[in-house]
């Protein structure tokens, strides 16, 4: 029996060693410093060329990823004919952002960021703001047929902006066909009464659809965006990722964009193409529904970085002001408002505020400090097609694949590893 036990141990040891060697060898042959890859396209060229949707999933609150997002958008636009930019904003903010990109009127951009500042959202950061200014400069030199169009797919963020957008869309509505229902919806928005908003939007939407000819005449050229807005408002109590997908699908069908190439910059979870924790991320719904469209997901992991976090009531319970003051003294940009706090973040560590990923050293050992490296996971003979390595993360915000048959490349195809990333500074 001892001999059998020893033989089994040796066999399992060999299998484990082979698996690890195979993984390490594969990663060594399928990685590149990001700037080099953006120039050569050696790892990404076939996927980007053949994909209809490319998604970049980040953890909000880092600075470095904003430059990466912009360069990736420019690459996809210039080399692969992507011009629709899916953003984690609602259609009202997308309206303002598209106006900014066409006019350069920075008051529109400030309006969006002031909204996020009021909500202490991580999007209210200076690198994000500056990215859109750079995108405007890029947009100016593009021909009309290649100009970037922002597609807002999220649930309503700020009802004051929603009200402004609704007023813009309905300012030339003819006759009294829908006047009373519009007034009822405006009042519900003023009161921030979500159940009343949903009910009013649903009733108005039903009436417009029942009176198609009259609706077309009354709403004029704004009928399509009005319907998109009303559909979004009528779904404010539904699951967020489901609404995000529904909004995109309606947008595509409304503007006949079934073959359009789109790039999205979204939160990490939204870009996962497999079910996690028995939930359905946006990208999973996209891949499941758009069966003939190839989706490529790139997710971001971080090593020894700093992240911008809201210093809200929940955070104050974990980090007292005396400790927060020490962080603020080291990062003066955060000290002015004290609404945010810079905190350490690394995916190879585990504490209540971050997720731990096993075997991250396999990635780190192939990279340099203060760098961004891209790892292709879906190449020839990839071990990630038959295992879950890097696809699951631990911690209070951990993510586990719902289906035991799912593997890493079912969820995403690339990893961007950020070494020593900087926290985004508050706007």
């Amino acid at each position: 029996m001892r001999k059998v036990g020893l033989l089994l141990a040796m066999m399992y040891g060999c299998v484990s060693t082979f698996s690890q060697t195979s993984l390490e060898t594969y990663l060594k042959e399928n990685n590149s410093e990001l700037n080099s890859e953006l120039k050569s396209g050696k790892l990404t060229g076939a996927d980007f060329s053949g994909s209809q949707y490319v998604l970049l999933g980040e953890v909000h609150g880092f600075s470095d990823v904003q430059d990466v997002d912009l360069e990736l958008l420019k690459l996809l636009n210039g080399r692969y004919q992507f011009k629709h930019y899916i953003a984690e904003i609602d259609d009202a903010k997308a309206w303002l952002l598209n106006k900014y990109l066409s006019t350069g009127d920075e008051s529109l951009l400030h309006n969006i960021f002031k909204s996020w500042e009021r909500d202490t959202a991580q999007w209210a950061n200076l690198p994000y703001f500056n990215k859109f200014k750079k995108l405007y400069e890029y947009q100016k030199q593009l021909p009309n047929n290649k100009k970037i169009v922002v597609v807002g797919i999220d649930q309503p963020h700020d009802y004051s902006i929603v009200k402004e957008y609704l007023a813009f869309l309905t300012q030339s509505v003819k006759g009294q066909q829908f006047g009373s229902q519009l007034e009822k919806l405006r009042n519900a928005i003023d009161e921030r009464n979500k159940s009343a908003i949903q009910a009013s939007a649903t009733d108005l939407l039903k009436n417009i659809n029942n009176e198609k000819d009259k609706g077309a005449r009354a709403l004029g050229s704004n009928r399509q965006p009005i319907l998109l807005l009303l559909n979004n408002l009528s779904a404010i109590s539904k699951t967020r990722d489901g609404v995000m997908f529904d909004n995109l699908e309606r947008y595509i069908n409304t503007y006949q964009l079934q073959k359009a190439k789109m790039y999205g910059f979204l939160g990490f979870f939204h870009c996962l193409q497999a079910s996690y924790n028995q939930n359905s991320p946006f990208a999973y719904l996209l891949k499941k529904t758009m069966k003939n469209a190839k989706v490529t997901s790139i997710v971001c992991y971080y090593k020894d970085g700093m992240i911008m976090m809201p210093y809200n009531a929940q955070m104050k319970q974990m980090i007292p002001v005396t400790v927060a003051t020490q962080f603020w003294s080291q990062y003066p940009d955060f000290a002015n408002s004290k609404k945010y706090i810079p905190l350490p973040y690394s995916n190879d560590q585990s504490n209540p505020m971050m997720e731990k990923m096993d075997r991250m050293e396999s990635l780190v050992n192939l990279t340099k400090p203060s760098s961004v490296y891209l790892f292709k996971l879906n190449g020839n003979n990839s071990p990630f097609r038959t295992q879950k390595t890097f696809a699951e993360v631990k911690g209070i915000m951990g993510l586990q694949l719902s289906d035991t048959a799912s593997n890493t490349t079912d969820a995403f195809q690339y990893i961007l590893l950020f070494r020593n990333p900087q926290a985004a500074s508050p706007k």
Side-chain angles (χ1 to χ4, degrees), residues 342-369:
L343 295 174
Y345 190 104
S346 192
N347 284 116
D348 62 350
Q349 301 173 15
S350 184
N351 68 48
M353 291 175 293
M354 66 184 71
E355 300 79 44
K356 182 179 186 300
M357 182 179 69
D358 289 336
R359 300 188 69 172
M360 187 169 169
E361 68 279 0
S362 299
L363 302 174
V364 174
N365 291 340
L366 295 169
T367 64
K368 302 174 183 177

Side-chain angles (χ1 to χ4, degrees), residues 14 16 29 54 68 70 85 88-89 92 140 143 156 185 191 205 223 260 302 310 326 334 345 348 391 395 398 405 415:
C14 288
S16 175
E29 296 173 351
V54 175
V68 170
L70 179 61
Y85 181 43
E88 200 172 331
I89 58 177
K140 282 197 303 184
L185 177 58
E191 296 168 2
L205 187 62
R223 180 177 183 274
Y302 309 87
Q326 296 176 23
F334 285 78
Y345 190 104
D348 62 350
I415 288 175

Side-chain angles (χ1 to χ4, degrees), residues 274-309:
S275 173
Y276 275 80
N277 300 352
Q278 307 304 319
N279 293 312
S280 300
F282 164 77
Y284 169 72
L285 297 171
L286 182 65
K287 183 172 73 170
K288 181 180 177 181
T289 306
M290 310 290 193
K291 297 184 183 298
N292 295 323
K294 181 176 178 179
V295 183
T296 294
S297 289
I298 307 165
V299 298
C300 301
Y301 284 121
Y302 309 87
K303 167 67 175 173
D304 295 335
M306 297 294 291
I307 188 172
M308 166 187 166
M309 294 291 290

Side-chain angles (χ1 to χ4, degrees), residues 256-290:
Q256 300 297 304
L257 298 171
Q258 286 80 4
K259 295 185 179 181
K261 293 187 172 185
M262 300 188 178
Y263 163 67
F265 179 55
L266 306 167
F268 183 100
F269 180 80
H270 305 307
C271 296
L272 299 173
Q273 296 177 28
S275 173
Y276 275 80
N277 300 352
Q278 307 304 319
N279 293 312
S280 300
F282 164 77
Y284 169 72
L285 297 171
L286 182 65
K287 183 172 73 170
K288 181 180 177 181
T289 306
M290 310 290 193

Side-chain angles (χ1 to χ4, degrees), residues 161-289:
I161 297 179
V162 170
K163 181 184 177 183
E164 183 183 350
Y165 185 41
L166 180 64
F168 167 77
L169 291 175
T170 59
Q171 62 184 333
S172 59
V173 170
K174 299 175 182 178
Q176 299 299 315
Q177 182 69 24
F178 309 109
S180 60
Q181 287 183 303
L182 277 170
E183 187 62 26
K184 186 177 180 180
L185 177 58
R186 292 189 194 102
N187 291 337
I189 292 173
D190 281 337
E191 296 168 2
R192 306 297 192 269
N193 185 330
K194 290 188 177 181
S195 60
I197 292 171
Q198 184 168 348
S200 299
T202 302
D203 289 344
L204 180 54
L205 187 62
K206 182 178 179 180
N207 195 8
I208 292 173
N209 286 329
N210 287 340
E211 302 282 350
K212 288 186 178 180
D213 292 339
K214 293 180 180 178
R217 289 195 298 271
L219 302 179
S221 61
N222 285 333
R223 180 177 183 274
Q224 291 175 321
I226 288 173
L227 291 177
L228 291 173
L229 175 61
L230 292 177
N231 271 296
N232 199 12
L233 292 173
S234 68
I236 55 179
S237 65
K238 295 183 179 180
T239 304
R240 186 181 178 201
D241 278 75
V243 171
M244 291 169 72
F245 172 73
D246 288 343
N247 284 338
L248 179 64
E249 186 175 40
R250 285 194 200 93
Y251 184 92
I252 289 170
N253 291 333
T254 295
Y255 296 110
Q256 300 297 304
L257 298 171
Q258 286 80 4
K259 295 185 179 181
K261 293 187 172 185
M262 300 188 178
Y263 163 67
F265 179 55
L266 306 167
F268 183 100
F269 180 80
H270 305 307
C271 296
L272 299 173
Q273 296 177 28
S275 173
Y276 275 80
N277 300 352
Q278 307 304 319
N279 293 312
S280 300
F282 164 77
Y284 169 72
L285 297 171
L286 182 65
K287 183 172 73 170
K288 181 180 177 181
T289 306

Side-chain angles (χ1 to χ4, degrees), residues 46-247:
D47 279 329
F48 286 175
S49 177
S51 292
Q52 186 170 352
Y53 301 96
V54 175
L55 305 175
L56 176 62
E58 65 145 356
V59 175
H60 303 314
F62 289 100
S63 174
D64 310 58
V65 72
Q66 301 301 335
D67 286 335
V68 170
D69 173 46
L70 179 61
E71 291 308 311
L72 194 51
L73 175 58
K74 289 162 63 175
L75 171 74
L76 291 168
N77 175 256
R79 193 181 299 174
Y80 301 105
Q81 293 76 54
F82 284 70
K83 71 173 188 177
H84 290 86
Y85 181 43
I86 302 171
E88 200 172 331
I89 58 177
D90 61 10
D91 37 7
K93 281 182 176 167
W95 164 63
L96 291 180
L97 197 47
N98 281 315
K99 283 179 66 177
Y100 165 69
L101 290 177
S102 65
T103 66
D105 181 356
E106 284 194 19
S107 67
L108 300 167
L109 199 55
H110 283 292
N111 193 4
I112 296 171
F113 278 80
K114 285 178 181 176
S115 169
W116 285 329
E117 289 170 27
R118 289 192 295 270
D119 294 337
T120 323
Q122 286 166 294
W123 294 306
N125 66 73
L126 190 59
Y128 197 23
F129 182 87
N130 288 336
K131 177 182 70 179
F132 285 119
K133 291 177 66 176
K134 294 173 186 176
L135 180 57
Y136 168 70
E137 294 300 322
Y138 175 74
Q139 181 91 315
K140 282 197 303 184
Q141 53 88 34
L142 290 176
N144 288 337
N145 66 341
K146 294 195 72 172
K147 287 191 182 297
I148 306 295
V149 178
V150 179
V151 183
I153 63 170
D154 211 346
Q155 293 174 307
H157 284 190
D158 185 328
Y159 287 109
S160 63
I161 297 179
V162 170
K163 181 184 177 183
E164 183 183 350
Y165 185 41
L166 180 64
F168 167 77
L169 291 175
T170 59
Q171 62 184 333
S172 59
V173 170
K174 299 175 182 178
Q176 299 299 315
Q177 182 69 24
F178 309 109
S180 60
Q181 287 183 303
L182 277 170
E183 187 62 26
K184 186 177 180 180
L185 177 58
R186 292 189 194 102
N187 291 337
I189 292 173
D190 281 337
E191 296 168 2
R192 306 297 192 269
N193 185 330
K194 290 188 177 181
S195 60
I197 292 171
Q198 184 168 348
S200 299
T202 302
D203 289 344
L204 180 54
L205 187 62
K206 182 178 179 180
N207 195 8
I208 292 173
N209 286 329
N210 287 340
E211 302 282 350
K212 288 186 178 180
D213 292 339
K214 293 180 180 178
R217 289 195 298 271
L219 302 179
S221 61
N222 285 333
R223 180 177 183 274
Q224 291 175 321
I226 288 173
L227 291 177
L228 291 173
L229 175 61
L230 292 177
N231 271 296
N232 199 12
L233 292 173
S234 68
I236 55 179
S237 65
K238 295 183 179 180
T239 304
R240 186 181 178 201
D241 278 75
V243 171
M244 291 169 72
F245 172 73
D246 288 343
N247 284 338

